[in-house]
Amino acid sequence: MIMPRDDYLNELKSLRDVPVIKVITGIRRCGKSTLLELFKEYLIGSGVPEDRIITMTLTHGSEEEITAADILNEVRGKRADGEMNYVFLDEIQMARSWEKAVLTIFEEGGSDVYITGSNSEMFSSKLSSLLSGRAAVVEMFPFSYKEFLLFTEQKDSSDSLSEYMRIGGFPLAAALRGKPEYAMTVLDGIYRTAVLRDIIERNNIRNPQMLGRISSFLMRNIGNPVSVKSIADYMVSAGFKVNFETVDSYLGMLEEAFIFYRAKRYDVKAKEELVVNDKFYVADMGLRNSALGFREADIGQFMENLVYLELRRRGYSVFVGKVNAMEIDFVAMNKESTAYYQVSYSIEDPETKRRELEPLKKLRDGHRKTIITMVPSLNKDHDGIREIGLREFLMDNSGQ
């Protein structure tokens, strides 16, 4: 079964023939190649001859084997002059000097160019400097909870949410949901491939064990403030010889491979980003569970991670909020709005309720304030702060 991924497909449709390079990016195996196949079917269905769609899949190549010249020769050899050609370059970062080939194809005209990649460095530096103003980025994630339900043909329930928390949203793992031991094997393979091949080999890392330990540290500390110093101290206590620069470099590599996302702290009243104690969230809970195992005691971390990813899917920039000495789990901002979110398993306990609601009550700016719980209260309105269940939030069609 192929999942349509309509939101992403519609975004590509809206960008069709717009004179920019379309960049589809996200962690390995999240569905980028399938999205290109779906878009190809759409193009053919709209009347584009199949021979005008030029596809190169570079997943199994290496930087030494494929060069910019190879890409140019392939595309030029198949391109039909005088017609609009659609060029799909899948996992483009596998080719050496790929950016030169992409820019040349784009500037020669007559081609609508689509590239995919599993390393954010390719657009954070090369695209921003070389293709500035000529690239539109579509960021993909593994299945959302709603997509997971559609793909597995389930209805929303406590059991389906629990299953989603365990195996996550990678399509192949979701397809194996009836055989969880195989799903975990698939997830372990994705994790090891993303880390060992895409990070260690690309960056010539000589101590892969250290990278793995840093990754595990972040997975164990989802939702906790993390600094380079705290990671370095942990690594030293575990017997590694490590310095600040190495830890900082490895963190960047894990982010570039889309294994982790960083939520920076934001002073809500001063309206400025802070530079200390960021939080990290993993790209998919299934990856975390395959690496560390599933524990019911970690349900609070799982909830927070799911909410963070869902807000990102909905197009928000997401920060950890600071209000005086208190904290708001998420400040979600886009061009149109700002919203505040707290995440708590339950606020039935009066002290927990006070702690979770107090920072939201300190804000008088009129922006929407929401607390997301696993066990909803009978009263869903707390002096203008709405409370919703996690399932309700994940299923929300309004994007709020």
Side-chain angles (χ1 to χ4, degrees), residues 176-224:
L176 293 168
R177 56 176 286 264
K179 300 179 179 179
E181 67 278 13
Y182 292 109
M184 286 297 114
T185 299
V186 165
L187 289 165
D188 184 65
I190 293 172
Y191 177 67
R192 292 182 183 279
T193 297
V195 174
L196 297 180
R197 188 169 73 187
D198 287 0
I199 299 179
I200 294 171
E201 292 184 3
R202 180 175 302 281
N203 296 282
N204 297 314
I205 291 177
R206 297 179 180 179
N207 193 342
Q209 186 182 7
M210 183 185 298
L211 182 72
R213 291 293 288 269
I214 291 175
S215 179
S216 295
F217 177 88
L218 294 179
M219 289 181 176
R220 289 192 181 92
N221 285 278
I222 288 170
N224 294 329

Side-chain angles (χ1 to χ4, degrees), residues 110-309:
S111 294
D112 196 15
V113 182
Y114 299 77
I115 65 177
T116 78
S118 301
N119 191 291
S120 66
E121 187 271 339
M122 77 177 207
F123 64 85
S124 64
S125 60
K126 294 181 180 179
L127 281 180
S128 61
S129 60
L130 188 61
L131 307 181
S132 178
R134 291 175 283 189
V137 177
V138 177
E139 186 175 12
M140 284 195 77
F141 296 85
F143 288 156
S144 67
Y145 177 55
K146 287 175 64 175
E147 289 175 322
F148 175 80
L149 294 179
L150 287 172
F151 184 77
T152 58
E153 299 180 337
Q154 296 185 80
K155 293 183 178 180
D156 171 39
S157 69
S158 296
D159 288 342
S160 61
L161 178 59
S162 178
E163 185 177 55
Y164 178 66
M165 284 184 167
R166 289 174 183 269
I167 67 174
F170 280 98
L172 186 52
L176 293 168
R177 56 176 286 264
K179 300 179 179 179
E181 67 278 13
Y182 292 109
M184 286 297 114
T185 299
V186 165
L187 289 165
D188 184 65
I190 293 172
Y191 177 67
R192 292 182 183 279
T193 297
V195 174
L196 297 180
R197 188 169 73 187
D198 287 0
I199 299 179
I200 294 171
E201 292 184 3
R202 180 175 302 281
N203 296 282
N204 297 314
I205 291 177
R206 297 179 180 179
N207 193 342
Q209 186 182 7
M210 183 185 298
L211 182 72
R213 291 293 288 269
I214 291 175
S215 179
S216 295
F217 177 88
L218 294 179
M219 289 181 176
R220 289 192 181 92
N221 285 278
I222 288 170
N224 294 329
V226 171
S227 66
V228 174
K229 182 181 184 304
S230 66
I231 299 174
D233 289 345
Y234 163 76
M235 296 301 293
V236 170
S237 70
F240 289 90
K241 292 182 179 180
V242 65
N243 56 40
F244 184 98
E245 290 75 17
T246 300
V247 171
D248 192 47
S249 176
Y250 281 13
L251 279 178
M253 294 173 193
L254 290 166
E255 288 183 83
E256 287 169 5
F258 298 102
I259 297 172
F260 293 97
Y261 295 92
R262 183 192 300 251
K264 299 188 72 63
R265 296 176 68 81
Y266 181 81
D267 189 318
V268 177
K269 293 190 173 182
K271 293 182 171 53
E272 63 182 12
E273 289 185 27
L274 305 175
V275 295
V276 294
N277 294 331
D278 300 332
K279 293 188 177 184
F280 288 82
Y281 297 92
V282 69
D284 182 82
M285 293 312 303
L287 284 187
R288 189 259 187 205
N289 294 332
S290 71
L292 302 183
F294 179 87
R295 296 196 319 155
E296 291 285 354
D298 296 333
I299 194 71
Q301 289 185 329
F302 292 9
M303 291 179 63
E304 196 170 319
N305 207 116
L306 292 183
V307 171
Y308 173 84
L309 292 175

Side-chain angles (χ1 to χ4, degrees), residues 26 28 32-33 58-59 89-95 116-118:
R28 281 288 186 94
K32 299 185 297 298
S33 300
L58 311 176
T59 304
L89 303 173
D90 197 10
E91 295 294 352
I92 189 66
Q93 81 277 353
M94 302 303 293
T116 78
S118 301

